[in-house]
Amino acid sequence: TGLTGAQGPTGATGVTGPMGATGPTGPAATFADPVSWTPVVTGTGFAQSSNPANGNYIKYGKLVYVNLYIPFTNVTNFGTGQYSVNLPFEPAYHTDVFGGSIHNTGNPTQHYSLKGHLTENSSTMSLWYISGTSLDQPFNHAAPITLNNTDAFHMSFMYEAVA
């Protein structure tokens, strides 16, 4: 084999072409403002002197984002049976939503996970807590804690509405 030749110098980089024109600026993003709404708890015999609950929702097309806060401050009868809450729009599908917490003010370090069960075309969702065995159990006046007037719960979730 013969000798290998030496590498010659690298050539100069060519001229960069002109940049393309900048396109027009698109429209500013628009965001819906939250709409106030009053969630209402129902249950067999459940009664309040007034409803201090508050909530809001944002609806974008069929997508609904909900926030609600329900204190038991004015409850005069906790009733019996499972609790439910009205929805701002009927859901398109049978589904579960997560993102809630029951606050036990008797022991402020205790918070219980809360979920909602939505039924297609129904204006209410039933409320459930998750037991220690991961089973869904009905949320009521005595479970997962015995409720009193200083307790509360809140939820934030999304679902698809019928229209």
Side-chain angles (χ1 to χ4, degrees):
T1 54
L3 295 172
T4 303
Q7 173 81 30
T10 302
T13 303
V15 177
T16 301
M19 240 176 124
T22 302
T25 302
T30 57
F31 299 96
D33 289 327
V35 176
S36 292
W37 150 77
T38 303
V40 177
V41 174
T42 55
T44 306
F46 183 85
Q48 305 178 86
S49 59
S50 64
N51 184 3
N54 64 72
N56 63 55
Y57 65 86
I58 296 172
K59 188 167 189 283
Y60 188 75
K62 289 185 173 186
L63 185 63
V64 183
Y65 181 76
V66 176
N67 284 298
L68 60 87
Y69 176 75
I70 300 181
F72 291 108
T73 310
N74 299 329
V75 174
T76 56
N77 186 345
F78 283 95
T80 60
Q82 185 172 16
Y83 292 142
S84 294
V85 174
N86 66 313
L87 295 166
F89 300 93
E90 293 179 353
Y93 303 102
H94 178 172
T95 190
D96 287 341
V97 294
F98 296 83
S101 183
I102 304 164
H103 291 257
N104 178 3
T105 56
N107 186 341
T109 62
Q110 290 182 345
H111 299 255
Y112 298 87
S113 293
L114 185 64
K115 66 182 264 189
H117 186 88
L118 284 65
T119 303
E120 182 178 344
N121 298 313
S122 173
S123 61
T124 60
M125 73 173 171
S126 57
L127 299 173
W128 303 78
Y129 73 95
I130 303 167
S131 74
T133 60
S134 298
L135 261 169
D136 291 346
Q137 297 292 325
F139 175 38
N140 61 46
H141 74 289
I145 59 172
T146 301
L147 295 171
N148 66 54
N149 293 98
T150 60
D151 296 325
F153 73 90
H154 60 87
M155 296 183 79
S156 295
F157 56 90
M158 286 187 300
Y159 69 97
E160 185 178 334
V162 172

